């Protein structure tokens, strides 16, 4: 069954006609862009739009990552909206340079600047032309991210694409290093990926790397720009890599910014490097669960020419043993899975291989590729009864769930009120997680991350069973 709220009137109950979305299953596009931009060394993100956009995004990200978050704004007013934001843009850039001294200013557009048709790239070019004699002028990157088109997930990948497009330099000799585009994951998972590729002895440019910038140590002195991030030099050399690996099948392929050249569509960073610089791009899913993790580790073994290190073989073996131990607690359970599209695919594949039946796979994204990607990824484990919902809101999700009687929800904190109302357990995974601490330290990827996630799911189900039992017991 397919649900697509882009055709809302068809999916809502008879006579219920509306054109707005109540509590959408997504966040705004420039929010995702700001997360990706924080993965660049020496960066300060800037929004070309109203001050309220920057305030909202800062507050939202601070609540999830529990880290300081400076985001500049060109501070649109009523006058700016009518006459354009050129003056505000230049003033904002001047203030950023004088106060922060960044290596990179990464600019994302907002609904307001996009609606009036502001040509931000022209503003950047004009500013550079005026200040061409200025020493150490920061790099400037622009990502088009109107929130009325796309989600935070697409904004994230649009920023990754824009950064690579702006900085990649094909002049030089192709090296033996690889590119790893890591997706919208936790800082802990980024650290884990860096550990994995290091163990395969692969020289890797990982981007975006906000493992330190969004999960830093405690400071004695406040740093306006946190240390860490992918160096600019590494991003320039991305065009000279031997291969790119992208974690995710959908990425921003449903967005508006796919560029066409020589009849090839380059919508992601990996696609762009392949189209422009002949850097072969290999896509694999988020490595959650044994099947998808196997794909990732086997790919690294093929690229590196090295066998999978023993420690990961042992991690896999322990995970198989854990599946056996916990299978009786999860087998036959029904789950609602929601969040970013590639995360939904990965979680559905993982749930299916441990015996949990995904009954609803829901996302705010509208790529039109979710069902087909689920079919291809799950293979024989795919069930035609799965309800696939794109562009959905939490209000609509709740309506659908009433007839499904799920045992579990897998997704971010925004689904908690549904879980509370329906009295079903929720395992928080993805973004945002606002009602628990430690989201920045959550490990989900690889055999280790899957082990932690499997244990969390089983223990959540056991706790729910104990809580609802009329008889207290402590032996399972």
């Amino acid at each position: 069954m397919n649900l697509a709220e882009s055709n809302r009137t068809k999916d809502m109950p008879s006579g219920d006609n509306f054109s707005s979305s109540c509590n959408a299953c997504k966040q705004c596009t420039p929010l995702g862009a700001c997360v990706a931009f924080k993965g660049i060394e020496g960066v300060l993100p800037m929004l070309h739009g109203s001050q309220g956009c920057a305030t909202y995004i800062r507050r939202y990200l601070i609540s999830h990552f529990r880290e300081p978050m400076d985001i500049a704004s060109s501070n649109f007013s009523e006058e700016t909206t009518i006459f354009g934001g050129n003056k505000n843009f230049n003033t904002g850039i001047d203030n950023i340079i004088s106060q922060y001294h960044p290596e990179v200013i990464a600019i994302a557009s907002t609904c307001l600047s996009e609606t009036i048709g502001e040509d931000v790239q022209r503003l950047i070019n004009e500013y550079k032309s005026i200040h061409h004699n200025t020493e150490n002028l920061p790099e400037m990157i622009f990502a088009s991210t109107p929130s009325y088109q796309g989600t935070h997930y697409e904004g994230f990948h649009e920023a990754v694409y824009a950064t690579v497009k702006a900085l990649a330099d094909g002049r030089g000799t192709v090296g033996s290093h690889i590119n790893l585009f890591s997706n919208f994951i936790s800082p802990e998972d980024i650290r884990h990926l860096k550990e994995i590729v290091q163990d395969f002895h692969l020289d890797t440019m990982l981007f975006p790397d906000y493992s330190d910038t969004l999960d830093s140590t405690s400071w004695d002195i406040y740093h306006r720009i946190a240390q860490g991030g992918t160096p600019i030099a590494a991003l320039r050399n991305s065009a000279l890599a031997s291969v790119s690996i992208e974690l995710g099948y959908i990425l921003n392929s449903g967005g508006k910014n796919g560029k066409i050249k020589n009849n090839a569509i380059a919508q992601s960073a990996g696609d762009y490097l392949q189209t422009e610089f002949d850097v072969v791009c290999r896509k694999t899913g988020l490595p959650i669960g044994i099947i998808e993790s196997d794909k990732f580790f086997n790919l690294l073994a093929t690229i590196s020419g090295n066998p999978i290190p023993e420690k990961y073989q042992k991690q896999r073996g322990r995970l198989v043993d854990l599946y056996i131990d916990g299978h009786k607690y999860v087998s036959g359970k029904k789950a609602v899975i929601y969040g970013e599209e590639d995360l939904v695919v990965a979680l559905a594949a993982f749930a299916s291989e441990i015996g949990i039946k995904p009954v609803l796979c829901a996302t705010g994204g509208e790529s039109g590729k979710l069902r087909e990607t689920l079919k291809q990824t799950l293979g024989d484990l795919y069930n035609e009864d799965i309800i696939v919902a794109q562009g959905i809101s939490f209000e609509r999700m709740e309506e659908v769930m009433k007839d499904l009687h799920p045992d579990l929800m897998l997704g971010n904190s925004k689904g908690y009120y549904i879980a509370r109302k329906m009295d079903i357990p929720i395992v928080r995974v993805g973004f945002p997680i606002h009602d628990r601490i430690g989201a920045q330290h959550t490990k989900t990827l690889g055999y280790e991350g899957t082990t932690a996630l499997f244990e969390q799911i089983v223990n959540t189900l056991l706790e729910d069973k104990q809580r609802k039992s009329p008889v207290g017991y402590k032996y399972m």
Side-chain angles (χ1 to χ4, degrees):
M1 178 179 178
N2 251 324
L3 292 177
E5 284 207 350
S6 55
N7 297 314
R8 292 181 175 89
T9 57
K10 180 173 66 175
D11 298 320
M12 295 301 293
S14 178
D16 194 351
N17 212 344
F18 68 100
S19 59
S20 62
S21 180
C22 301
N23 195 8
C25 186
K26 61 180 180 180
Q27 286 74 52
C28 75
T29 320
L31 181 150
C34 288
V35 174
F37 284 149
K38 288 294 287 184
I40 307 171
E41 185 178 47
V43 75
L44 186 76
M46 173 182 175
L47 297 183
H48 190 45
S50 68
Q51 181 64 46
C53 294
T55 302
Y56 150 69
I57 290 174
R58 287 180 60 250
R59 178 66 186 88
Y60 219 86
L61 296 180
I62 289 169
S63 181
H64 178 88
F65 291 104
R66 313 286 174 168
E67 288 289 333
M69 171 68 72
D70 282 6
I71 298 175
S73 170
S74 55
N75 198 16
F76 268 46
S77 63
E78 291 85 350
E79 179 182 354
T80 314
T81 305
I82 296 171
F83 297 107
N86 194 324
K87 180 180 178 181
N88 287 45
F89 180 87
N90 291 339
T91 302
I93 297 294
D94 288 341
N95 289 338
I96 290 170
I97 292 173
S98 64
Q99 296 181 37
Y100 287 85
H101 311 290
E103 294 181 46
V104 181
I105 301 175
I107 304 151
S109 56
T110 64
C111 296
L112 191 54
S113 58
E114 290 277 354
T115 299
I116 67 172
E118 196 84 296
D119 188 344
V120 179
Q121 191 59 56
R122 177 182 62 81
L123 299 182
I124 292 173
N125 294 339
E126 287 179 356
Y127 187 91
K128 287 182 176 180
S129 177
I130 293 171
H131 298 84
H132 67 277
N133 289 325
T134 303
E135 292 186 6
N136 301 319
L137 195 67
E139 292 284 350
M140 296 185 195
I141 298 165
F142 166 61
S144 175
T145 54
S147 278
Y148 51 74
Q149 185 163 342
T151 69
H152 64 288
Y153 188 65
E154 290 173 337
F156 177 93
H157 288 291
E158 190 58 38
V160 173
Y161 167 81
T163 301
V164 170
K165 185 174 183 292
L167 297 178
D169 187 347
R171 291 172 294 183
T173 304
V174 175
S176 60
H177 65 284
I178 71 168
N179 302 319
L180 176 57
F181 297 106
S182 56
N183 213 307
F184 198 144
I185 57 178
S186 73
E188 185 65 32
D189 273 329
I190 293 175
R191 287 189 284 268
H192 188 42
L193 287 177
K194 291 197 285 188
E195 175 190 14
I196 291 171
V197 294
Q198 185 177 13
D199 287 338
F200 275 94
H201 305 290
L202 285 166
D203 181 11
T204 305
M205 189 288 298
L206 186 148
F207 181 67
D209 181 6
Y210 44 84
S211 58
D212 288 327
T213 59
L214 290 179
D215 186 23
S216 187
T217 60
S218 180
W219 297 335
D220 294 328
I221 301 174
Y222 181 72
H223 301 280
R224 291 193 172 187
I225 296 180
Q227 294 181 337
T230 307
I232 295 175
L235 286 161
R236 293 198 195 284
N237 286 334
S238 63
L240 301 173
S242 59
V243 65
S244 296
I245 300 175
E246 284 189 318
L247 299 185
Y249 299 118
I250 297 176
L251 306 175
N252 62 328
S253 60
K256 72 182 183 68
N257 289 316
K259 305 298 188 293
I260 299 177
K261 182 175 180 179
N262 298 328
N263 297 319
I265 299 177
Q267 294 163 317
S268 68
D271 290 335
Y272 172 77
L273 290 174
Q274 182 166 282
T275 302
E276 296 291 333
F277 302 104
D278 295 323
V279 181
V280 175
C281 181
R282 302 289 299 275
K283 296 181 190 292
T284 185
L286 286 169
I288 301 175
I290 290 177
I291 296 174
E292 288 300 299
S293 293
D294 283 352
K295 292 178 184 177
F296 177 59
F297 279 92
N298 288 332
L299 178 58
L300 293 180
T302 300
I303 291 173
S304 67
N306 298 320
I308 298 174
E310 184 180 1
K311 84 174 189 181
Y312 298 110
Q313 295 181 36
K314 288 185 175 181
Q315 288 175 8
R316 186 186 190 280
R318 285 191 287 267
L319 179 57
V320 171
D321 185 63
L322 183 65
Y323 276 13
I324 296 169
D325 295 338
H327 182 261
K328 62 182 179 181
Y329 303 117
V330 297
S331 180
K333 299 295 184 183
K334 297 186 293 184
V336 169
I337 300 171
Y338 62 95
E340 297 84 18
E341 291 187 80
D342 279 309
L343 178 62
V344 169
V345 172
L347 291 175
F350 163 60
S352 298
E353 77 179 22
I354 63 175
I356 292 179
K357 179 183 177 182
V359 291
L360 172 61
C361 291
T363 179
E366 298 183 70
S367 70
K369 298 182 178 181
L370 183 57
R371 172 171 288 278
E372 188 58 35
T373 306
L374 283 166
K375 284 184 178 181
Q376 292 176 0
T377 306
L378 272 63
D380 293 340
L381 297 175
Y382 182 80
N383 190 321
E384 290 291 346
D385 292 334
I386 297 175
I387 297 176
V388 179
Q390 296 192 88
I392 199 170
S393 67
F394 283 100
E395 302 299 320
R396 179 66 173 126
M397 192 187 304
E398 182 181 357
E399 291 181 17
V400 176
M401 286 174 59
K402 290 176 183 177
D403 296 326
L404 297 177
H405 308 291
D407 301 293
L408 179 71
M409 292 181 71
L410 288 172
N412 57 61
S413 291
K414 292 186 72 176
Y416 168 67
Y417 83 94
I418 300 177
R420 177 182 172 91
K421 186 184 295 186
M422 299 184 68
D423 194 24
I424 56 176
I426 179 174
V427 172
R428 291 163 179 82
V429 58
F431 177 90
I433 298 176
H434 290 161
D435 57 346
R436 293 292 186 273
I437 196 168
Q440 69 275 39
H441 301 141
T442 301
K443 186 186 290 185
T444 308
L445 302 187
Y447 305 121
E448 256 192 351
T450 302
T451 296
L453 181 58
F454 183 82
E455 290 174 348
Q456 186 182 7
I457 289 172
V458 172
N459 289 331
T460 298
L461 289 169
L462 291 177
E463 182 182 6
D464 184 63
K465 185 176 180 180
Q466 280 182 308
R467 180 178 62 84
K468 293 175 179 176
S469 173
V471 179
Y473 58 92
K474 58 183 182 292
Y475 186 83
M476 294 293 182

